[in-house]
Amino acid sequence: MGILIKRALFLLLCLLLVFSFFPRASQAAEPEVSAQSAVLIDQLSGRVLFDHNSREKLPIASITKVMTAILAIESGKLNKTFTVSPEALRTEGSSIYLKAGEKIKLKDLVYGLMLRSGNDASRAIAEAVAGSEPGFVLMMNEKAHELGMTNSHFTNPNGLENPNHYSTAYDMALLMRYAMGNAEFRKVVGTKLHRVSATNKEGIRVWKNKNKMLRLYKYATGGKTGFTKKARRTLISTASKNNLDLIAVTLNDGDDWKDHQGMFEWAFAHFRPVQVARKGKLKAKVNTFYQGHLFIHHSITLPLSKDEQKSIRKKLILLKPKKENNWKPATPAGRLNITLDQQRLSSIPVFYQPEKKQKKGFWSRFNGFLHAIITGEESR
């Protein structure tokens, strides 16, 4: 019996040692994907939740049209009618079968672009918004630079193959995060069916969204598909559940529908949105000069696992007060950094607000006046 007990204790000790070496893996193994490149981010904070080779420059095919769509929406011309040029019809690839000389609203061109991936629509949009395709491509690259898409370059508004037309999964996630901040864009990509009124060249059209995620996955909210022989299958999709909004991007993925659902399910199971800093007055142990005078203008909410919630750290960095009369700190006076395992997840400015002097009302001033007359002392 003594030998059996010793063996059992030895085996138990071995198991404890094994699990102590792999605590995170046993709790939340990351999803497996077939993609050459993939990323999953939180829409609100931009935090990367899953990454697989997401910074590699690759051809992106028709998910390019996310950039085309948001620029068209931001142009402010959605309800204007434009005439389709003969050049637009010569664009190769997928088509919504526009007619030369057809008069159609820019809004309907955007729906045709995003739901049916019309390359003829992409050229018509470029000409409507910028006057020409080269001019529109310039706008695309300027927007990419503005959004911090440092590993992207566009040569056309549709994603047709070109050695100088490329992006990364991470950059396209940045773009989608920006675009999803626009209510009109969210409406377009979340539409399953769009009806187009008759034009001078064509009767009523009804377009069904090619993005199968909207039908396959109940939490899906939008996205864009893509395919060329070189890029293979590319996909951007978005999903929302329990106040968590996610964006997934895969490049060169033969099993993208399954992979996107797998990434979403993994994230929804292991993360939840947690408010780590509340908008308004900041409570912290600081120099007496700052005590009670620090504010942040925005709350910070991050997707965190249960383990991460215990390990989150806040660090307040402030300008050192100067020993000068009437000295006031610059605006902002510092920053609040949120870190996890020494990695910064978020950083926002902290502002100093001096104590406001209360304005005296009429009766307060009148009583002070009487007090001064009777006592000869100035009321304070």
Side-chain angles (χ1 to χ4, degrees):
M1 283 293 292
I3 295 173
L4 289 173
I5 291 171
K6 286 180 179 179
R7 284 180 178 177
L9 289 172
F10 178 74
L11 286 171
L12 180 61
L13 180 61
C14 288
L15 287 171
L16 289 171
L17 285 170
V18 168
F19 283 113
S20 69
F21 279 117
F22 304 102
R24 290 189 181 271
S26 63
Q27 293 170 17
E30 289 191 339
E32 294 183 0
V33 294
S34 304
Q36 183 174 346
S37 176
V39 73
L40 177 71
I41 72 168
D42 170 53
Q43 185 178 311
L44 178 64
S45 66
R47 184 188 178 192
V48 175
L49 303 178
F50 171 75
D51 184 292
H52 172 67
N53 197 30
S54 72
R55 311 293 175 122
E56 184 182 0
K57 296 177 183 178
L58 292 168
I60 55 174
S62 283
I63 62 173
T64 295
K65 291 165 184 167
V66 170
M67 177 66 87
T68 305
I70 192 61
L71 289 176
I73 290 167
E74 290 182 341
S75 73
K77 302 176 181 179
L78 282 185
N79 291 315
K80 289 187 177 182
T81 299
F82 294 90
T83 303
V84 178
S85 72
E87 288 76 22
L89 310 185
R90 290 196 278 270
T91 310
E92 62 181 276
S94 55
S95 175
I96 57 171
Y97 305 104
L98 296 170
K99 305 289 193 302
E102 183 172 2
K103 298 181 184 301
I104 187 169
K105 282 187 176 182
L106 181 62
K107 178 183 283 188
D108 289 325
L109 289 173
V110 171
Y111 274 96
L113 177 84
M114 296 302 286
L115 272 61
R116 301 306 299 166
S117 207
N119 288 346
D120 50 353
S122 74
R123 176 66 181 261
I125 289 170
E127 292 172 352
V129 173
S132 69
E133 187 174 77
F136 190 78
V137 169
L138 181 63
M139 291 176 63
M140 296 173 78
N141 286 309
E142 286 176 347
K143 194 67 173 184
H145 177 75
E146 176 190 325
L147 297 179
M149 298 171 66
T150 55
N151 291 308
S152 300
H153 187 264
F154 299 96
T155 62
N156 59 64
N158 42 58
L160 289 173
E161 291 179 0
N162 185 301
N164 292 317
H165 190 101
Y166 56 82
S167 187
T168 67
Y170 178 73
D171 277 7
M172 293 306 293
L174 288 182
L175 173 61
M176 192 64 172
R177 183 188 176 208
Y178 171 79
M180 289 297 285
N182 184 291
E184 187 67 36
F185 181 88
R186 291 197 304 272
K187 181 182 176 183
V188 172
V189 296
T191 297
K192 295 179 181 179
L193 211 66
H194 179 69
R195 183 180 183 274
V196 185
S197 300
T199 68
N200 63 320
K201 295 280 187 175
E202 188 65 64
I204 293 172
R205 297 177 173 103
V206 178
W207 291 326
K208 186 178 180 181
N209 201 324
K210 285 184 176 181
N211 181 15
K212 290 183 181 179
M213 282 293 289
L214 291 172
R215 296 181 289 278
L216 292 173
Y217 188 58
K218 65 179 178 179
Y219 302 114
T221 56
K224 181 70 188 77
T225 61
F227 177 83
T228 64
K229 288 182 180 180
K230 186 176 181 180
R232 308 308 296 172
R233 292 178 63 89
T234 62
L235 180 64
I236 295 178
S237 62
T238 58
S240 297
K241 180 183 177 183
N242 297 334
N243 297 315
L244 196 60
D245 302 317
L246 304 176
I247 298 169
V249 183
T250 50
L251 304 180
N252 187 11
D253 187 352
D255 205 4
D256 48 12
W257 307 124
K258 179 182 175 182
D259 287 344
H260 280 236
Q261 291 179 71
M263 285 189 285
F264 288 142
E265 285 297 294
W266 169 78
F268 288 140
H270 295 100
F271 296 93
R272 72 178 186 90
V274 178
Q275 188 178 80
V276 295
R278 187 184 297 274
K279 173 184 175 181
K281 186 176 285 189
L282 200 59
K283 296 178 181 179
K285 292 181 180 179
V286 292
N287 185 290
T288 53
F289 173 84
Y290 286 118
Q291 197 72 47
H293 297 291
L294 297 177
F295 292 80
I296 56 175
H297 292 169
H298 303 283
S299 298
I300 303 176
T301 300
L302 295 169
L304 299 171
S305 67
K306 286 185 179 180
D307 285 347
E308 289 174 341
Q309 291 174 44
K310 302 170 187 175
S311 305
I312 206 80
R313 296 290 180 268
K314 303 177 189 178
K315 186 174 182 180
L316 187 58
I317 302 172
L318 296 168
L319 295 171
K320 187 177 181 181
K322 293 183 179 180
K323 296 179 181 179
E324 297 175 5
N325 290 333
N326 300 320
W327 179 82
K328 292 181 180 179
T331 301
R335 298 196 72 83
L336 176 64
N337 293 331
I338 310 298
T339 61
L340 178 67
D341 298 332
Q342 299 183 337
Q343 179 186 3
R344 190 169 69 182
L345 298 184
S346 184
S347 178
I348 61 168
V350 175
F351 298 91
Y352 172 84
Q353 183 175 308
E355 189 173 342
K356 293 181 180 179
K357 292 183 178 180
Q358 292 184 346
K359 291 184 179 180
K360 293 183 178 180
F362 171 78
W363 289 110
S364 178
R365 293 196 301 271
F366 181 72
N367 288 334
F369 175 71
L370 288 177
H371 177 82
I373 291 175
I374 295 169
T375 64
E377 297 177 356
E378 185 180 348
S379 179
R380 297 180 183 275

